[in-house]
Amino acid sequence: MAGSGGGAERAGAGGLLPPVLRQHRRRVSRGESRERLSVCSKLCYAVGGAPYQITGCALGFFLQIYLLDVAQVDAFYASIILFAGRVWDAITDPMVGFFISKTPWTRFGRLMPWIMFSTPFAIISYFLIWFVPDISTGQVMWYLVFYCAFQTLVTCFHVPYSALTMFISREQSERDSATAYRMTVEVLGTVLGTAIQGQIVGKVDTPCIESPFFFSLTNSSVAMEELNMTHDTESLRDTRNAYMIAAGVIVGLYILCAIILVLGVKERRESSELQSDEPVSFLQGLKLVMNHGPYIKLIAGFLFTSLAFMLLEGNFALFCTYTLGFRNEFQNILLAIMLSATLTIPFWQWFLTRFGKKTAVYIGITSAIPFLIMVVVVGSNLIITYVVAVAAGISVAAAFLLPWSMLPDVVDDFKLQHPSSHGHEAIFFSFYVFFTKFTAGVSLGISTLSLDFAGYQTRGCSQPDQVNFTLKMLVSAVPVGLILLSLLLFKLYPIDEEKRKKNKKALQDLREESNSSSESDNTELASIV
């Protein structure tokens, strides 16, 4: 009887607005209490960022050496493989973003199926990159196909994973916190990828050539052919096996991280999408995104910042080896940079929460400038070099964290300006990834061409003065100029802390209005029935 009476009372009150609003408020209150992500959920989400960084570091630091010295691919064809892979990698990001925007929701979500189904094929492609096929012809196509295939498949993992930030919680503070966890794990992934690959294949020790006579020969195909003919076969086999073992270890970590991500993180549709009309087409969405001023200013600023730090990252080992003369220390110096970045990410997360994200950009990125100048002015001083490495790591941590923390603010601002248009999160994130990869290609091209014009000597124990001057420019003057240019662009970025808080409140009101309207419609329908 009590249950029947309660049901009659609920049916009778179904058409009254105040009880509905009270139920809605209770439901919203319960929803807000559930919005807080547990530490376990944040860690599971963060672990998903490791595969991209681990494989990216291993390929970035070792693929060129592997193709030339281990697989013994001609230098011209090796450059084609590396360039084509980078170009294809950049192209696949907006392509994958397009297909994700067309993907329907499933019981696993819209992004998780991409992560789950790309993983098995990605690990196979990655392992085959580090395998030397026993074929006389077609070796170039082997590496080109599997390198491009892996870049495509890891993009199918990383782009949806990046967009997943918007689908784990609707609370910006929780997304920022999860992003800090993610950046910490990703920086650890760079350390881990470099350490695993470096330690396992570290047995390879190619001696440098001191005689000027060899300087004129080592760049010729005849000299390279003679060096390859005299290479010890047994040592080469051991080296190839070492690369395959390293690939196997990294593949195992890739699988483990993917499993933890899929099982530990729930993709929430309501976290990002308001109840509204059907989404507009991809081209219309792309036009809206690219015409959104805050997004353009943000990616332009980080475009120059990324270029600055990638120039520093790509040339710091050569700078330490030849300009500073620390041939046996550069691995430890690079490790100091990565460890410093890892340890200071929690500090930057606290700083941006306490003082705001734009302030964190100004202080975090500019903190490296005096140290970059110091390392060139002071010269060959090991202690100063380590100090510069630690300072550079602090700025690298800020450069890692802030873009992924600020992109959701831009997405929220876009939603307020275009409330009827949704489902474009992947476009925002995929094009940012596209631009960062584009800057990586530009930095590689600038560095290689500049060193070539300066007269860089392959396998030389020392380099001409022009090369040392060029390296100083690439790790100091050019990055400093790019950082200053990026600060001018960040000055134009309109979303400060006050604007961000207003957007957060307005978006919450819009969600509550949408949910209240939907609840009212459902109540009226129930009363009619």
Side-chain angles (χ1 to χ4, degrees), residues 75-87:
F76 173 75
Y77 293 111
S79 65
I80 292 178
I81 294 169
L82 295 170
F83 177 75
R86 285 180 177 270
V87 170

Side-chain angles (χ1 to χ4, degrees), residues 310-348:
M310 286 177 182
L311 281 172
L312 177 64
E313 176 188 358
N315 295 282
F316 199 70
L318 291 174
F319 177 75
C320 291
T321 301
Y322 295 113
T323 306
L324 299 182
F326 302 140
R327 178 179 294 273
N328 298 323
E329 288 287 337
F330 80 90
Q331 298 96 331
N332 297 327
I333 295 171
L334 292 175
L335 185 61
I337 294 176
M338 292 294 100
L339 289 176
S340 172
T342 303
L343 295 175
T344 51
I345 279 182
F347 165 77
W348 287 118

